[in-house]
Each structure stands twice: as structure tokens, then as C-alpha cells.
Amino acid sequence: MRTHHMPAGGVMAAQFTDASYSEIALYGGRRDPAIWTGAYLAAQALRLMETGDSDAATRLAAVVQTLHDWWRISGDTGYLARFAAPADSAATILATLPADDPEVIRDVPYDGELWHWRGRVSRDQYQGVLLGMSLAYEATADAAIRQRIREDVTAFVERLMQEEERRVKVVINDSANFSVDLRLRHAVYTDDETPSGIPVINITTDPVSAEGSGMLVFWPNPSEYLREIPGLWWLPDIELPTQAIQLAGAFRVALQVTQGVPGYEARHAALRAHYEENVEAWLDMAADWENTNQCGDSYYGLNIAFLPLFNWVRLEDDMLRRGRLQREVLRDALWSEVADHKNVLFALLYASQAAPEDAIDDLINAHLAQLARFPDAPQLDLPFDLRSKYAEDPNCPGLSSVATDVDERPGATYIWERHPWQLVDSGTPNLVFAGVDYLLAYWLGRHAGFLCEADELTLTAVTVDGSRRHVACRDLRAGPDVTVSSTGDLALRAGRQIQLLPGFRVEAGGLLQASIDPTLASRPLTGAPLSLPTHARTSSQAPAPRSEARGQTAGALSPPMPAPGAEALTWSMLPAELQEQLLAHDAKIHDAQRDSTGDIIVFATEAPLAWEDTNGQSDIYLYAVASERLHLVSLALDGYAGNGSSDEPRLDGLGQQLLFRSTATNLVVGAQNDFAQLYQHDLGIGSTTRLTQTARGEPGTGNSGQAILAGTWAIFHTEAANLAAAGPGLYRQQLSDASRQPVGLDEWGLPDPAASRPAADSAGAEIAYQRPEPNGMRQIYLTDAVQAERLSLTSDPVLGQLDHCCAALSRDGGLLAYREQTSQGQAWLHVYHRNQGSYYRLPWPRDETLQSQAPVFNHDGSELWWLNPEQGPGLPEVLHWMKNPFGTAENRPSDGSAIVKVKAA
């Protein structure tokens, strides 16, 4: 492919002079190199993320540079060339850019040379490029490559965002011809394609359509602009859902590459503001997407909707919006239209981003079986006649009534954009396609965890120095002469068994990860050549299963049924009526939660939402969903807001009890002091009592906070010395009778005042927390208030001392997540399955603001969220999120699968 199918760095088909395939006569697909080169970049990015292969990194860097040249060659911001090459290129390359072609601009000075380039770009070309650049940005750690991607993507999207008045030549129904000044947005321009340099809009009115020359528009509703033209005021709204998807996908990529980048704060904020201003309208249009193709006509339109939608769903940080995208757009609108097309790429794009409740195993297996039928290289354009095998569709003469198999279709540079019903084709002798369609589908399947390398796989005579992963559908054997070096990280995954044969060894510091996944045994075989990655990863030994640490049989621990728990809310999850009330006061909120019935919502805000709120500080509010009324909770005895700040509201799942922290001294009667106290508000009778006080009603003599409300327990940290004989530390307090017990225990079961940052299951039965060792390094402990055990490692023979923080527990207590960091600053997220004694290690978010923020499991446990502490319109709701590698709480495996990680000592 690299030798024959990437002239000047761009992907094309090649027609050879004869069947020896040694000499190229001409290149084909000359109008589409940008979209296919972007798809190739996406494949290499996925390959890099999956394998760490240095060759993938090299290819990624080269393609990013090629596309950078194509972004810049026109000299017009955001205007992408279809293809470009130096003027002294080989004759076969120059033949793709002939002087008599009106799309070709020749002899353009660029980078110290003369270049030729092909213009009149179409929207489809951008979709492959943005897919590739988004995945490449995620895959690479090279700051220079990331900056190049950032420059190109941001310049394009900022150009789309720019609103300006333009002189435009208007042609209506090929007759009326005049110029007019229009106020335009969501377009890119070039002055190289029109004689006067003035862009042209060609309009037809029956049916209504508009296309440009010298400009390319991304208009979900073109009538918004066309009604400015004299005589066209009558045009109705014309919704184009695919262009809405394309715009939203482009903005999501621009937000991705500018998030948290020093010097880009203002530009990111402007992009975010424009996105938030328009995204709901785009989403509503996208949900109305319909397949308008008839008999396979314009089937490529499906591809240029799926690619940007994959970016939009994958990068959306508003969880409610993301849920709508997964269900209403990806599944119900797009996937439902192509489910029987045997289109492997569309299936994998959908399955990798499907809603948690979607059943995808059968469709994955069926489409991987189709991928396995993909023709071996070279991929030729051979003749075929399938009329004796498939019945003709009576409504589409010449086409099959059902989709043909992948290996029965005409050759193409990108088969997934071609309809699957062709019955007859004469072929083209010696025409060979690049295979980028296979590469993208294969590496997407690998990256999504759907694909095996082989049915049975044996590794021999290899030394693993960096990161390497192998997956077998059934059996995997390693050895003899297989060594995982001190810097090596070998991950093995199989459907049935893994055997480590004599001669297999792991050097001190090396990491072996082996897992059995029974679902792989049903996967069809789709293999690819193995490659040895060159980058290194390190890890620490997995802690023993909690059940084994207590002398039980592994897997014997049965988690209790989760108690109803309150659900953390983002802005978009709030009822529209509440949003309206908050917007009226320009309110930003913190710690929003709702009970399990959805009837009650609580939050903290500094905005005065009630007439009693006159303190100018943070207060606690309750919103009754049925009555749509707000109530101030942090009320003083005089009926006005307390005289101090109140925050950290914690609601129980039944909507009966509420905890909050306050420095106010007039919320309850009795003795007061200036320390932050915890208060309990009974929602049934509307009474407030102080939680952190002695039996005599004296307030705590130190600050209290970090509160959790779990079941009937309040769990909190206090610096007060007078609340219990144990003094400061972590406590669990029964709400019904105020009985209090220390839970921040050391290895010997003694209270430790330095224990902090609690996390708990929804019943309050199991509590995780952090406490420092004598050397200052923090460790993660788990307790049932009777005994405690340390679950994190104090040190690693290679990495040295390890520091841990920021624990999170799933509602059922079965999963524990926390942060681990070396003294050199390397940080990971550990997700630990307590029943299995297995864990995953994932990169901790790079954002500096998240280094000490604990994630939360979302309500069904399918994802980990780092919530933005402040929620409001235009603000990111989730600063970072990851899929739970063990699945949802409902689907989490408890037997039949295992993950074992071993660190050589």
C-alpha cells in the first residue's frame, strides 16, 4: 500500500500496466484522497493505541504532515485540498492534476516549492480527515504533532464559527444571475475557484438546494441564509440532518484538541459557547435523520453521517445529550437503516458507542464474520455475475433484494461507502485498491475489544521490551523462549485457556497480564500480522481478592443488594423548568442530586433564588419536581438564610434525609462556634438538627466535612476532638439514634485521625478511604467498620514508593477505583473488581485540575465520571469520562471470566 497507493502521501487506487503489478499506469480516485487519507490516519491511530507500534507512530506523523499541507496549500483558512503534490513529482502523480481540469490549481508557491492542488472540495472530504485527526490526537503523546493537529482543526472550526458579510454571486435555477451582500456563517471560502474571487451560490427551488463555488457551506438549515436573497423570503425551513451531524462533530473535535491547553483558554471558551448555543437544534435535527437513498443511489451519504456521528458521540461530555445521541440518533435513526446491509464499519462504529442496554454481541459476531471474508491483498476489481445466486429486487432493477457478502462485491478504495446490492460488474483489469477500508474496520474492531488475532495463537522466541497485547478466540500459548523484560508489558487474552510453557519468564519489573473472556470463543476469526510495539508501560501487582484476604474462597463474596442511592446530576439532567428558574438568576450550581424516584432535587448555589436568601453566600436549595417549586433549606431560626456559607448537600436515595455543611451559627438553638458543622435536615417534617455535636449539644471543636449519606449512615471527616473518645478522624453515624463509630482504621483496627476522603457503597456497609503511611505516602483502605485492609501497594521494585488517593466505590461496593502515582509523576486509574481480585489500569486524565479529584461511578456503573464541580449553561458537565472496563453493575462478570495480573518480584 505504501509503495503503490500513497502518491505524495495521499491514498489512491492504482491501475497497473499488467498483472505483474510492478509498474503503475495511472492513479484512480483522484477526487477523494482527503477522505481516504483521513481514514488511513484513523486506522494508524487506532493501531498505535492498541499496540504501541513505533511504525504506527511513524505513519501517523507522516500522514498528519501530509494533511497539514493540504489544509494550508490554498492559503485560505479552513479550506482543505482534495489532493496536493509538488510540481516536480513523478509523471503518474502529475497526471492526477492535469492543467485542463477546472478543479486543479497549478504552480502555487508553498513551502519554498511550486505545488499543484485539487480544489472544489466537498463536505465528505472533511469527515475522514476530522476522524483521523481526532483519533491521532488521542493516540499520540508527541506535543509537536498534537499542536499541528490543533492548529489545523481549530483554524477550520473557528472559520466556520465566524459570521461576516460577504458579496456573493447568486444563480437561481440556472437563469437569474445577480450579486448581493449576505451575512453568512458556517462556511469556508477560497478565491482560487472563481474568476472574480467572489463566491457563487447556485440555487434550485424545486426541490430547494444550494451549492457553492469558491465556498463550501455546512448549513443544517440553508433557508436561514437564503431568505436574505431578494425574492426568496418565502422559503420554508429546510432541515439537513447530516450537515447538523457534521457541524456538531467538527466542533466536538475542536473542543477536544483545545481542552486544557495553555494559551487556548479563550478560544476554547468561544468554541464551547458557540457549540452550546447551537447543539440542541443540531441534535433535534440529527434525531430526525432519514435515509433518503433510493436503490443504493448516493449510498456514500451514509458514510459521511456515520463518521462525524462517531466523533460526536465519542467526545460528547454532556451525559444526557450523549444518551440521546446513542439512542435517538446512532441507534434509532442511522443504525436501524443499515442493520441488514452487512456493512462492517457501520456496525463497529455503532457497537463501539452503543447505549449500555443495547444487545450487540450477535451483530458483532455477524459483522466480524463478514470482515473475515474480505479479499486478500491485492484487492482487485474483478468481474462478477451474481444473478443466479441472488433474487433481483423488483423495486430496484439490476440490484439484489438482499445485501451480498463482502467478498462478492465490486472492488473499491472504500467498500463501506458502496451499496451492497450490485449483481453484475465487468471489472477493470489490473486495477488495485489500497485496502484502507479493511485497515480501518480491523483496527477499530481491535481497539473496541471485539476482535481476535487468531483462533489459536502461539508466541515463541520473542523478548517483549515495551507494550504488547495478543488476543486469541480460544487458546493462547506463550513459550518457549518468550521473555518479558524489566520494561515489558505483555497482555494476553483468550476465550478458553492460556498456557505459559516452559521457557516463558518475566524479568523483575516486567508485567504480565492474562485474562479469560468466554465471549471471545464465539467470535469469528479475523487476523492480521503481529507486530512488536516499542513503547513501555509498567504496573504494580494486583491486590488479593478481598474474600481471600478474609480466609474465604475466591468469588465467595456476594455483594448485598444495593440500597436506593441518590444520583449525581449534571446541568443537562435537570428538568427544563428548573433550568429556566436557574437561568433567570444566572445561577451556577454545585453538588446537584436527585432521589431514586426523581421527585426531589437538591443543590448548592450562591445565587439568591428565594426572597429569604439575603446572605450573599452559598446556600442549600431543594426543588420539588411535581410542583416545580424551589425551597431554601439552609434557613436560620429567624426565617432568613443562615449567617454563614452552606454547601456539600448530600441526599439519601429515598428523599427523606439531607446532610449539608455550614459555617452559619444561627441554624439551630444552643451553643455555637465558628467551625464548619454538619447538619441533618429531615425532609418529612422540615426540621434541621446539628449532626456534629456532643451528647450535651456542644458543637464540634473543629471543622467537619467530606460527608457521605449512604443508607441510614452519615459518613464524614472531622477535626473536632470532642465528638468521640477517638478524637479527630473518620466516623460513621447512624441517623436514627446519632450513635457514632470511628471507621478510619489502620491495619490493627485502631482509629487514625489522618484518615480522610471517604467513599462508600449505597448502604454505607463498606467504606473506602485514604490514610498516609509514616513516609507520607497515602494508601487506600477498605473497612466494614470492624476491620480494615489496605488494598493499594506501598511500593514497587521498579517504580519505588507509590502514593494513592481519590477513591470511589460503585453502588454495590463491588468495584473500587482510585488514583496511583509514582514519585516521578506517572499516574494511573486502578479499577479493582473485588470478587474476582482482578483490576484494570488506565491512564489518569491529563487535566491538571483533576489530579486530586475522585471520579464517580455513574448510576448504572457503566462509566466513571469526573464531574465539573460547577454546573451551568455553557460549562462542560463532565471534565473526563471513561467506560467501566468491567461493564455495568448489571452485566459485570462474577464468574466464567477472570483477569490475572502478575508482577515479577
Side-chain angles (χ1 to χ4, degrees):
M1 175 177 174
R2 300 175 193 176
T3 302
H4 297 302
H5 293 283
M6 297 190 72
V11 174
M12 290 191 189
Q15 187 167 7
F16 291 83
T17 56
D18 56 44
S20 68
Y21 307 123
S22 57
E23 183 180 350
I24 295 173
L26 57 88
Y27 286 107
R30 60 184 62 182
R31 299 189 76 244
D32 290 325
I35 188 173
W36 311 142
T37 306
Y40 177 71
L41 175 60
Q44 293 300 329
L46 292 165
R47 176 185 170 210
L48 178 58
M49 287 189 279
E50 182 66 11
T51 69
D53 198 322
S54 61
D55 179 71
T58 300
R59 298 310 308 159
L60 181 148
V63 178
V64 167
Q65 180 60 52
T66 294
L67 293 174
H68 177 73
D69 292 336
W70 296 3
W71 281 109
R72 302 293 171 139
I73 188 70
S74 71
D76 297 299
T77 302
Y79 199 86
L80 179 69
R82 291 178 178 271
F83 178 67
D88 60 355
S89 297
T92 49
I93 297 176
L94 295 180
T96 68
L97 299 164
D100 59 352
D101 190 326
E103 290 186 345
V104 174
I105 295 91
R106 293 172 62 88
D107 297 322
V108 175
Y110 177 74
D111 199 24
E113 300 180 86
L114 292 180
W115 284 57
H116 307 327
W117 64 279
R118 181 176 292 277
R120 297 195 181 176
V121 69
S122 51
R123 285 178 292 273
D124 58 343
Q125 302 302 300
Y126 285 85
Q127 309 319 312
V129 171
L130 289 172
L131 174 70
M133 289 200 150
S134 175
L135 291 170
Y137 189 86
E138 181 180 345
T140 185
D142 189 305
I145 295 175
R146 285 185 138 218
Q147 179 59 23
R148 185 164 295 134
I149 294 171
R150 186 180 301 117
E151 290 172 358
D152 292 338
V153 171
T154 306
F156 165 59
V157 177
E158 287 179 334
R159 189 69 187 85
L160 290 178
M161 191 169 62
Q162 183 176 342
E163 185 176 32
E164 61 181 317
E165 190 170 275
R166 280 264 180 172
R167 189 72 174 173
V168 177
K169 182 179 180 181
V170 177
V171 179
I172 302 178
N173 296 328
D174 295 324
S175 57
N177 188 328
F178 56 91
S179 295
V180 64
D181 292 329
L182 300 179
R183 192 134 192 97
L184 302 177
R185 180 178 259 180
H186 296 158
V188 291
Y189 307 89
T190 181
D191 56 9
D192 294 314
E193 297 177 0
T194 54
S196 63
I198 298 175
V200 178
I201 299 180
N202 292 285
I203 301 170
T204 58
T205 56
D206 188 19
V208 177
S209 67
E211 290 298 336
S213 179
M215 65 183 299
L216 179 67
V217 299
F218 293 79
W219 288 349
N221 180 8
S223 295
E224 178 182 352
Y225 304 99
L226 301 184
R227 282 193 285 255
E228 298 181 41
I229 298 172
L232 296 183
W233 55 269
W234 55 270
L235 285 177
D237 285 341
I238 305 164
E239 293 190 352
L240 303 176
T242 295
Q243 294 193 42
I245 293 170
Q246 291 170 348
L247 263 183
F251 271 86
R252 283 296 350 167
V253 177
L255 289 169
Q256 172 198 14
V257 301
T258 56
Q259 174 69 44
V261 179
Y264 277 76
E265 294 88 352
R267 297 169 74 179
H268 180 84
L271 291 164
R272 169 70 72 172
H274 187 84
Y275 178 74
E276 294 295 340
E277 178 185 351
N278 292 276
V279 65
E280 295 303 326
W282 294 340
L283 179 51
D284 289 343
M285 285 189 199
D288 292 333
W289 184 95
E290 294 180 352
N291 182 11
T292 59
N293 297 303
Q294 299 293 325
C295 298
D297 183 41
S298 300
Y299 191 86
Y300 67 87
L302 299 174
N303 182 62
I304 60 175
F306 264 100
L307 296 187
L309 182 57
F310 174 76
N311 275 342
W312 191 1
V313 179
R314 182 173 62 91
L315 299 174
E316 180 56 62
D317 56 9
D318 179 314
M319 294 299 105
L320 186 63
R321 193 179 294 149
R322 185 167 178 265
R324 282 194 66 195
L325 285 167
Q326 290 173 308
R327 296 168 178 86
E328 297 179 31
V329 186
L330 181 57
R331 180 188 66 200
D332 297 344
L334 271 73
W335 173 248
S336 65
E337 287 291 327
V338 301
D340 60 354
H341 291 191
K342 299 180 183 178
N343 191 305
V344 179
L345 182 66
F346 294 173
L348 297 179
L349 290 171
Y350 159 61
S352 68
Q353 303 301 318
E357 71 273 12
D358 289 5
I360 59 175
D361 282 346
D362 289 346
L363 78 87
I364 291 171
N365 288 340
H367 286 86
L368 292 184
Q370 286 294 315
L371 186 61
R373 301 176 71 109
F374 204 93
D376 293 334
Q379 186 183 352
L380 305 175
D381 190 20
L382 300 174
F384 64 87
D385 189 336
L386 301 173
R387 287 174 290 188
S388 63
K389 182 176 180 179
Y390 294 99
E392 186 178 69
D393 187 336
N395 297 316
C396 299
L399 299 183
S400 170
S401 60
V402 297
T404 64
D405 290 328
V406 165
D407 57 336
E408 298 174 322
R409 300 178 193 175
T413 298
Y414 192 82
I415 194 174
W416 317 125
E417 71 154 6
R418 300 292 185 89
H419 74 73
W421 304 295
Q422 191 161 338
L423 289 174
V424 181
D425 190 85
S426 59
T428 304
N430 305 321
L431 180 60
V432 182
F433 300 101
V436 67
D437 40 9
Y438 178 82
L439 290 176
L440 179 56
Y442 174 81
W443 287 112
L444 178 59
R446 284 282 300 273
H447 185 66
F450 300 150
L451 211 57
C452 305
E453 297 172 47
D455 186 16
E456 296 188 356
L457 183 64
T458 299
L459 306 179
T460 60
V462 65
T463 298
V464 180
D465 294 315
S467 177
R468 184 170 183 171
R469 180 159 74 171
H470 294 295
V471 181
C473 287
R474 289 171 177 78
D475 300 339
L476 193 155
R477 300 172 183 84
D481 300 327
V482 174
T483 299
V484 182
S485 74
S486 60
T487 60
D489 177 353
L490 177 61
L492 306 176
R493 184 164 162 249
R496 191 166 61 185
Q497 67 174 344
I498 296 174
Q499 292 180 301
L500 303 181
L501 304 177
F504 178 93
R505 68 191 189 96
V506 182
E507 295 181 349
L511 174 65
L512 168 66
Q513 308 172 50
S515 63
I516 301 298
D517 180 357
T519 64
L520 290 173
S522 63
R523 294 275 191 259
L525 172 62
T526 304
L530 304 180
S531 57
L532 180 62
T534 58
H535 80 281
R537 254 185 342 202
T538 54
S539 180
S540 55
Q541 183 178 351
R546 189 166 194 261
S547 55
E548 292 183 354
R550 296 194 174 186
Q552 300 174 350
T553 303
L557 180 65
S558 297
M561 290 296 292
E567 180 181 9
L569 300 180
T570 62
W571 175 265
S572 62
M573 297 166 72
L574 300 176
E577 297 80 6
L578 176 55
Q579 289 186 10
E580 290 178 5
Q581 294 189 50
L582 296 173
L583 286 169
H585 292 83
D586 193 25
K588 306 295 191 298
I589 63 173
H590 302 261
D591 293 310
Q593 300 142 67
R594 67 180 166 207
D595 67 351
S596 59
T597 65
D599 294 333
I600 293 173
I601 295 172
V602 299
F603 56 88
T605 183
E606 295 181 359
L609 305 180
W611 65 267
E612 309 101 315
D613 191 351
T614 59
N615 63 7
Q617 301 185 66
S618 176
D619 281 290
I620 309 301
Y621 282 85
L622 179 149
Y623 178 76
V625 175
S627 65
E628 300 179 6
R629 294 188 62 185
L630 280 166
H631 304 272
L632 178 61
V633 174
S634 48
L635 281 169
L637 297 170
D638 62 4
Y640 288 87
N643 60 6
S645 176
S646 298
D647 58 10
E648 293 190 3
R650 302 291 184 261
L651 180 66
D652 78 334
L654 299 176
Q656 297 174 350
Q657 301 294 328
L658 170 66
L659 294 185
F660 62 93
R661 181 180 68 171
S662 183
T663 58
T665 59
N666 60 347
L667 302 184
V668 296
V669 298
Q672 308 289 335
N673 61 30
D674 292 331
F675 293 108
Q677 308 290 341
L678 294 178
Y679 292 85
Q680 176 185 349
H681 183 79
D682 189 315
L683 299 175
I685 61 176
S687 65
T688 299
T689 57
R690 188 167 52 206
L691 193 81
T692 48
Q693 63 183 21
T694 68
R696 295 181 178 182
E698 298 166 344
T701 55
N703 291 320
S704 298
Q706 303 177 16
I708 299 170
L709 187 51
T712 60
W713 294 100
I715 302 159
F716 61 93
H717 178 269
T718 185
E719 298 172 357
N722 65 333
L723 297 183
L730 279 181
Y731 287 88
R732 183 173 71 165
Q733 182 165 325
Q734 182 60 251
L735 296 177
S736 59
D737 61 12
S739 59
R740 187 180 296 140
Q741 60 187 140
V743 291
L745 309 177
D746 61 19
E747 297 92 327
W748 299 276
L750 300 176
D752 183 351
S756 63
R757 302 287 296 275
D761 64 6
S762 61
E766 307 247 80
I767 303 166
Y769 57 91
Q770 64 191 46
R771 55 177 292 267
E773 299 292 310
N775 63 1
M777 293 297 202
R778 298 164 295 179
Q779 301 300 326
I780 301 298
Y781 285 76
L782 192 71
T783 183
D784 57 4
V786 176
Q787 72 178 80
E789 61 176 306
R790 176 174 53 80
L791 295 184
S792 55
L793 285 178
T794 58
S795 64
D796 179 276
V798 174
L799 303 175
Q801 299 294 320
L802 298 173
D803 183 59
H804 305 81
C805 76
C806 316
L809 269 175
S810 59
R811 291 180 63 241
D812 63 357
L815 292 178
L816 171 68
Y818 59 89
R819 184 178 189 267
E820 178 181 86
Q821 180 171 321
T822 70
S823 56
Q824 292 78 34
Q826 297 169 289
W828 303 277
L829 170 72
H830 280 245
V831 184
Y832 175 41
H833 192 304
R834 296 175 55 219
N835 269 8
Q836 294 181 5
S838 59
Y839 77 98
Y840 280 89
R841 298 176 70 251
L842 306 168
W844 190 267
R846 298 179 182 179
D847 192 331
E848 287 295 326
T849 63
L850 302 181
Q851 299 313 297
S852 61
Q853 180 176 332
V856 296
F857 288 92
N858 70 334
H859 207 56
D860 68 1
S862 63
E863 296 172 346
L864 284 152
W865 295 357
W866 282 261
L867 292 172
N868 190 347
E870 184 174 69
Q871 297 285 322
L875 297 176
E877 300 185 358
V878 178
L879 300 176
H880 192 86
W881 69 275
M882 295 181 186
K883 284 189 176 181
N884 177 0
F886 289 106
T888 66
E890 291 77 9
N891 299 325
R892 192 178 308 134
S894 59
D895 52 41
S897 62
I899 298 172
V900 180
K901 298 195 175 187
V902 179
K903 184 79 172 186

